[in-house]
Amino acid sequence: NAGVTQTPKFQVLKTGQSMTLQCAQDMNHEYMSWYRQDPGMGLRLIHYSVGAGITDQGEVPNGYNVSRSTTEDFPLRLLSAAPSQTSVYFCASSYSRRLSNNEQFFGPGTRLTVL
Amino acid sequence: AQTVTQSQPEMSVQEAETVTLSCTYDTSESDYYLFWYKQPPSRQMILVIRQEAYKQQNATENRFSVNFQKAAKSFSLKISDSQLGDAAMYFCARRSDQGAQKLVFGQGTRLTINP
């Protein structure tokens, strides 16, 4: 298994540009999520999905869109990049069974810089 | 907002010594899960140890153990016989037992191991 993969690893954008961060997992996990990591603030949840066709907002969703057309893929879209979106982005996945201490598996992260 | 607080931005310890990283959290739930993640310079998030709130026994994983005080909402990580490879950022996280598996992270503690 490749686990959770993310592309690209690094990206530089200009303000106003759009792009999609890709995330895929091959573990047949129902639950997938996107976090951003900023210095001194830990990881914060952007959006999450409990299954194909179902998405919901996390703590910091503004400026980001997601979709979940398949179980494997969960792309994160920046419609009009802003310098405040400069961050490291992590995708994570896990089984989605209640009453179980499922581990979330994280991808390697994407470092995004918006100029 | 239900928060997780790590009050030690940085900690250092001599190799082979023991160090304890602190974490407190806020929740109104009785059942939930707590985690410690390690993030080395590679940026990969690695699960170190997990604790179910309904279990009174403290979790242990080799040199890593926790001191879980449910009434005080405290969840500290003890690393025994510290090794150079333990140097990393450490994040405490809480996950609700209700519905989606959203993680709430603390701000992180940077651990340095002195040879």
Side-chain angles (χ1 to χ4, degrees):
Chain A
N1 287 348
V4 181
T5 58
Q6 291 183 237
T7 56
K9 285 188 169 53
F10 301 93
Q11 183 70 49
V12 178
L13 292 178
K14 294 181 179 179
T15 296
Q17 286 185 315
S18 63
M19 80 159 295
T20 299
L21 306 185
Q22 301 292 345
C23 174
Q25 52 88 13
D26 61 356
M27 298 173 281
N28 201 30
H29 284 168
E30 293 178 339
Y31 181 81
M32 297 185 73
S33 55
W34 279 101
Y35 294 86
R36 60 177 288 172
Q37 182 180 13
D38 301 297
M41 301 186 72
L43 280 72
R44 292 180 293 168
L45 182 65
I46 304 171
H47 285 285
Y48 65 96
S49 168
V50 298
I54 306 170
T55 64
D56 206 345
Q57 296 181 349
E59 181 185 355
V60 287
N62 292 341
Y64 307 95
N65 278 355
V66 292
S67 60
R68 185 94 179 271
S69 56
T70 67
T71 300
E72 295 78 20
D73 301 299
F74 191 45
L76 179 72
R77 297 182 185 85
L78 283 70
L79 302 177
S80 178
S84 61
Q85 295 178 305
T86 294
S87 188
V88 178
Y89 291 85
F90 287 95
C91 180
S93 74
S94 69
Y95 290 110
S96 183
R97 299 191 191 112
R98 199 171 176 274
L99 298 180
S100 176
N101 61 342
N102 295 313
E103 176 181 353
Q104 287 203 21
F105 294 85
F106 284 82
T110 295
R111 180 176 291 278
L112 175 68
T113 301
V114 183
L115 303 175
Chain B
Q2 299 192 349
T3 58
V4 176
T5 302
Q6 294 178 248
S7 59
Q8 306 153 315
E10 296 182 351
M11 293 281 285
S12 63
V13 64
Q14 291 295 125
E15 192 176 3
E17 297 292 310
T18 296
V19 64
T20 299
L21 308 184
S22 300
C23 173
T24 58
Y25 58 92
D26 178 24
T27 182
S28 57
E29 299 172 345
S30 59
D31 291 328
Y32 48 89
Y33 302 97
L34 298 165
F35 304 86
W36 278 98
Y37 281 89
K38 171 185 178 181
Q39 186 182 45
S42 67
R43 213 166 59 197
Q44 184 68 48
M45 295 290 286
I46 302 166
L47 179 64
V48 174
I49 198 166
R50 76 189 84 184
Q51 174 81 42
E52 294 93 331
Y54 59 87
K55 289 187 178 179
Q56 292 186 338
Q57 187 174 5
N58 289 326
T60 61
E61 290 286 345
N62 300 314
R63 297 183 296 107
F64 298 87
S65 61
V66 299
N67 183 5
F68 173 49
Q69 301 289 330
K70 190 172 184 179
K73 296 180 182 175
S74 170
F75 182 60
S76 60
L77 174 69
K78 185 172 81 171
I79 306 174
S80 304
D81 185 26
S82 297
Q83 300 176 359
L84 295 178
D86 294 334
M89 283 289 289
Y90 286 82
F91 292 97
C92 176
R94 180 188 61 77
R95 199 192 81 211
S96 171
D97 184 48
Q98 303 297 320
Q101 300 190 357
K102 296 181 282 187
L103 286 171
V104 178
F105 284 87
Q107 305 93 322
T109 297
R110 182 174 301 281
L111 178 64
T112 301
I113 312 296
N114 300 314

